[in-house]
Coordinates of all heavy atoms in Angstrom, one line a residue:
K286 N -26.3 -18.6 6.9 CA -26.3 -20.0 6.3 C -26.2 -20.0 4.9 O -25.4 -20.8 4.3 CB -27.4 -20.8 6.9 CG -27.4 -22.2 6.4 CD -26.3 -23.0 7.1 CE -26.3 -24.5 6.9 NZ -25.2 -25.3 7.5
R287 N -27.0 -19.2 4.2 CA -27.1 -19.2 2.7 C -25.8 -18.6 2.1 O -25.6 -18.8 0.9 CB -28.3 -18.4 2.3 CG -29.6 -19.1 2.5 CD -30.8 -18.3 2.0 NE -32.0 -19.1 2.3 CZ -33.2 -18.5 1.9 NH1 -33.3 -17.3 1.4 NH2 -34.3 -19.2 2.1
M288 N -25.0 -17.8 2.9 CA -23.9 -17.3 2.3 C -22.8 -18.2 2.3 O -21.6 -18.1 1.7 CB -23.4 -16.0 3.2 CG -24.3 -14.8 3.1 SD -23.7 -13.4 4.0 CE -22.2 -13.0 3.1
G289 N -22.9 -19.4 2.9 CA -22.1 -20.5 2.7 C -20.9 -20.5 3.7 O -20.8 -19.5 4.7
S290 N -19.9 -21.3 3.5 CA -18.7 -21.4 4.4 C -17.9 -20.1 4.3 O -17.5 -19.7 3.1 CB -17.9 -22.6 4.1 OG -16.6 -22.5 4.7
L291 N -17.6 -19.5 5.4 CA -16.8 -18.3 5.4 C -15.4 -18.6 4.7 O -14.8 -17.7 4.1 CB -16.7 -17.6 6.8 CG -16.0 -16.4 6.8 CD1 -16.7 -15.3 6.0 CD2 -15.9 -15.8 8.3
D292 N -14.8 -19.7 5.2 CA -13.4 -20.0 4.6 C -13.4 -20.1 3.2 O -12.5 -19.7 2.4 CB -13.0 -21.3 5.3 CG -12.6 -21.2 6.7 OD1 -12.3 -20.0 7.1 OD2 -12.5 -22.1 7.5
E293 N -14.4 -20.8 2.5 CA -14.6 -20.9 1.1 C -14.8 -19.5 0.5 O -14.2 -19.2 -0.5 CB -15.7 -21.9 0.7 CG -15.5 -23.3 1.1 CD -16.7 -24.2 0.9 OE1 -17.6 -23.6 0.3 OE2 -16.6 -25.4 1.2
L294 N -15.6 -18.7 1.2 CA -15.9 -17.4 0.6 C -14.6 -16.5 0.7 O -14.3 -15.7 -0.3 CB -17.0 -16.7 1.5 CG -17.6 -15.5 0.9 CD1 -18.2 -15.7 -0.5 CD2 -18.7 -14.9 1.9
S295 N -13.8 -16.6 1.8 CA -12.5 -15.9 1.8 C -11.6 -16.3 0.7 O -11.0 -15.4 0.1 CB -11.9 -16.2 3.2 OG -12.8 -15.8 4.3
R296 N -11.5 -17.6 0.4 CA -10.5 -18.0 -0.5 C -11.0 -17.6 -1.9 O -10.3 -17.2 -2.8 CB -10.5 -19.6 -0.6 CG -9.6 -20.1 0.6 CD -9.3 -21.6 0.3 NE -10.5 -22.4 0.5 CZ -10.9 -22.9 1.6 NH1 -10.1 -22.7 2.6 NH2 -11.9 -23.7 1.6
E297 N -12.4 -17.5 -2.1 CA -13.0 -17.0 -3.4 C -12.6 -15.6 -3.6 O -12.2 -15.2 -4.7 CB -14.5 -17.2 -3.4 CG -15.1 -16.7 -4.7 CD -16.6 -16.8 -4.5 OE1 -17.1 -17.6 -3.7 OE2 -17.4 -16.1 -5.3
F298 N -12.8 -14.8 -2.5 CA -12.4 -13.4 -2.6 C -10.9 -13.2 -2.9 O -10.5 -12.4 -3.7 CB -12.7 -12.6 -1.3 CG -14.0 -12.0 -1.3 CD1 -15.2 -12.7 -1.2 CD2 -14.1 -10.6 -1.4 CE1 -16.4 -12.0 -1.3 CE2 -15.3 -9.9 -1.5 CZ -16.5 -10.7 -1.4
A299 N -10.0 -14.0 -2.3 CA -8.6 -13.9 -2.5 C -8.2 -14.2 -4.0 O -7.5 -13.5 -4.6 CB -7.8 -14.8 -1.6
R300 N -8.8 -15.3 -4.5 CA -8.6 -15.7 -5.8 C -9.1 -14.6 -6.8 O -8.4 -14.2 -7.8 CB -9.3 -16.9 -6.2 CG -8.6 -18.2 -5.6 CD -9.1 -19.5 -6.2 NE -10.5 -19.6 -6.1 CZ -11.1 -20.3 -5.1 NH1 -10.4 -20.8 -4.1 NH2 -12.4 -20.4 -5.0
E301 N -10.3 -14.0 -6.6 CA -10.9 -13.0 -7.4 C -10.0 -11.8 -7.5 O -9.7 -11.2 -8.5 CB -12.3 -12.8 -7.0 CG -12.9 -11.6 -7.8 CD -14.2 -11.2 -7.2 OE1 -14.8 -11.9 -6.4 OE2 -14.7 -10.1 -7.7
H302 N -9.5 -11.4 -6.3 CA -8.8 -10.1 -6.2 C -7.4 -10.3 -6.9 O -6.9 -9.4 -7.5 CB -8.6 -9.7 -4.8 CG -9.9 -9.2 -4.2 ND1 -10.0 -8.6 -3.0 CD2 -11.2 -9.1 -4.7 CE1 -11.2 -8.2 -2.8 NE2 -12.0 -8.6 -3.8
S303 N -6.8 -11.5 -6.7 CA -5.5 -11.8 -7.3 C -5.6 -11.7 -8.9 O -4.8 -11.2 -9.5 CB -5.0 -13.2 -6.9 OG -4.7 -13.1 -5.5
E304 N -6.7 -12.3 -9.4 CA -6.9 -12.4 -10.8 C -7.2 -11.0 -11.5 O -6.8 -10.8 -12.6 CB -7.9 -13.4 -11.2 CG -7.6 -14.8 -10.9 CD -8.8 -15.7 -11.0 OE1 -9.9 -15.3 -11.2 OE2 -8.6 -17.0 -10.7
R305 N -7.7 -10.1 -10.7 CA -8.1 -8.9 -11.3 C -7.1 -7.7 -11.0 O -7.3 -6.7 -11.3 CB -9.5 -8.4 -10.8 CG -9.5 -8.0 -9.3 CD -10.9 -7.8 -8.9 NE -11.0 -7.3 -7.5 CZ -12.1 -7.4 -6.8 NH1 -13.2 -8.0 -7.3 NH2 -12.1 -7.0 -5.5
L306 N -5.9 -8.2 -10.3 CA -5.0 -7.2 -10.1 C -4.6 -6.3 -11.3 O -4.7 -5.1 -11.2 CB -3.7 -7.9 -9.5 CG -3.4 -7.6 -8.1 CD1 -2.1 -8.3 -7.8 CD2 -3.3 -6.2 -7.8
W307 N -4.1 -7.0 -12.3 CA -3.6 -6.2 -13.5 C -4.8 -5.5 -14.2 O -4.6 -4.5 -14.8 CB -2.9 -7.1 -14.4 CG -1.6 -7.6 -13.8 CD1 -1.4 -8.9 -13.2 CD2 -0.5 -6.8 -13.5 NE1 -0.1 -8.9 -12.6 CE2 0.5 -7.6 -12.8 CE3 -0.1 -5.5 -13.7 CZ2 1.7 -7.2 -12.4 CZ3 1.2 -5.0 -13.3 CH2 2.1 -5.9 -12.6
K308 N -6.0 -6.2 -14.2 CA -7.1 -5.6 -14.9 C -7.5 -4.3 -14.2 O -8.0 -3.4 -15.0 CB -8.3 -6.5 -14.7 CG -8.2 -7.9 -15.4 CD -9.4 -8.8 -15.2 CE -9.3 -10.1 -15.7 NZ -10.4 -11.0 -15.5
Q309 N -7.3 -4.1 -12.9 CA -7.6 -2.8 -12.3 C -6.9 -1.6 -13.0 O -7.5 -0.6 -13.0 CB -7.3 -2.8 -10.8 CG -8.2 -3.8 -10.1 CD -8.0 -3.8 -8.6 OE1 -7.1 -3.1 -8.1 NE2 -8.6 -4.7 -7.8
L310 N -5.7 -1.8 -13.4 CA -4.9 -0.7 -13.8 C -4.6 -0.7 -15.3 O -4.2 0.3 -16.0 CB -3.5 -0.6 -13.0 CG -3.7 -0.3 -11.6 CD1 -2.3 -0.2 -11.0 CD2 -4.3 1.1 -11.4
M311 N -4.7 -1.9 -15.9 CA -4.1 -2.1 -17.3 C -5.3 -2.2 -18.4 O -5.0 -1.9 -19.5 CB -3.2 -3.3 -17.3 CG -2.1 -3.3 -16.3 SD -0.6 -2.3 -16.7 CE -0.1 -3.1 -18.2
L312 N -6.4 -3.0 -18.0 CA -7.3 -3.3 -19.0 C -8.5 -2.4 -18.9 O -9.1 -2.0 -18.0 CB -7.8 -4.8 -18.7 CG -6.7 -5.8 -18.8 CD1 -7.2 -7.2 -18.5 CD2 -6.0 -5.8 -20.1
P313 N -9.0 -2.0 -20.2 CA -10.2 -1.2 -20.2 C -11.5 -2.2 -20.0 O -11.4 -3.4 -20.0 CB -10.2 -0.6 -21.6 CG -9.4 -1.8 -22.4 CD -8.5 -2.3 -21.4
G314 N -12.6 -1.5 -19.9 CA -13.8 -2.3 -19.9 C -14.6 -1.9 -18.7 O -14.4 -0.9 -18.0
E315 N -15.7 -2.6 -18.5 CA -16.5 -2.3 -17.3 C -15.9 -2.6 -16.0 O -15.5 -3.7 -15.7 CB -17.8 -3.2 -17.4 CG -18.8 -2.8 -18.5 CD -19.2 -1.3 -18.3 OE1 -19.5 -0.9 -17.2 OE2 -19.3 -0.7 -19.5
P316 N -15.7 -1.6 -15.1 CA -14.9 -1.9 -13.8 C -15.9 -2.5 -12.8 O -17.1 -2.2 -12.8 CB -14.5 -0.5 -13.5 CG -15.6 0.4 -14.0 CD -16.1 -0.3 -15.3
D317 N -15.2 -3.3 -12.0 CA -15.9 -3.7 -10.7 C -15.7 -2.7 -9.7 O -15.0 -1.6 -9.9 CB -15.5 -5.1 -10.2 CG -13.9 -5.2 -10.0 OD1 -13.3 -4.1 -10.1 OD2 -13.4 -6.2 -9.7
V318 N -16.3 -2.8 -8.5 CA -16.2 -1.8 -7.5 C -14.7 -1.4 -7.1 O -14.3 -0.3 -7.0 CB -17.0 -2.2 -6.3 CG1 -16.9 -1.2 -5.2 CG2 -18.5 -2.2 -6.7
P319 N -13.9 -2.4 -6.8 CA -12.5 -2.1 -6.3 C -11.8 -1.5 -7.5 O -11.0 -0.6 -7.2 CB -11.9 -3.5 -6.0 CG -13.2 -4.3 -5.6 CD -14.2 -3.9 -6.5
A320 N -11.9 -1.9 -8.7 CA -11.2 -1.3 -9.8 C -11.6 0.2 -10.0 O -10.8 1.0 -10.3 CB -11.4 -2.1 -11.1
A321 N -13.0 0.4 -9.9 CA -13.4 1.8 -10.1 C -12.8 2.7 -8.9 O -12.4 3.8 -9.1 CB -14.9 1.8 -10.0
R322 N -12.7 2.1 -7.7 CA -12.2 2.8 -6.6 C -10.8 3.1 -6.8 O -10.3 4.2 -6.6 CB -12.5 2.1 -5.3 CG -12.0 2.8 -4.1 CD -12.3 2.0 -2.8 NE -11.5 0.7 -2.8 CZ -12.1 -0.4 -2.8 NH1 -13.4 -0.5 -2.9 NH2 -11.4 -1.5 -2.7
T323 N -10.0 2.1 -7.3 CA -8.6 2.2 -7.6 C -8.3 3.4 -8.6 O -7.4 4.3 -8.3 CB -8.0 0.9 -8.1 OG1 -8.1 -0.1 -7.1 CG2 -6.5 1.1 -8.4

Side-chain angles (χ1 to χ4, degrees):
K286 182 69 174 178
R287 287 181 178 177
M288 288 183 70
S290 168
L291 184 60
D292 288 339
E293 294 177 0
L294 193 59
S295 300
R296 286 193 292 271
E297 178 184 340
F298 263 76
R300 285 195 302 268
E301 177 188 345
H302 289 188
S303 298
E304 292 169 355
R305 73 190 181 198
L306 245 183
W307 294 105
K308 296 179 183 178
Q309 290 181 4
L310 294 176
M311 307 275 304
L312 300 179
E315 290 298 323
D317 56 9
V318 174
R322 184 176 64 246
T323 298

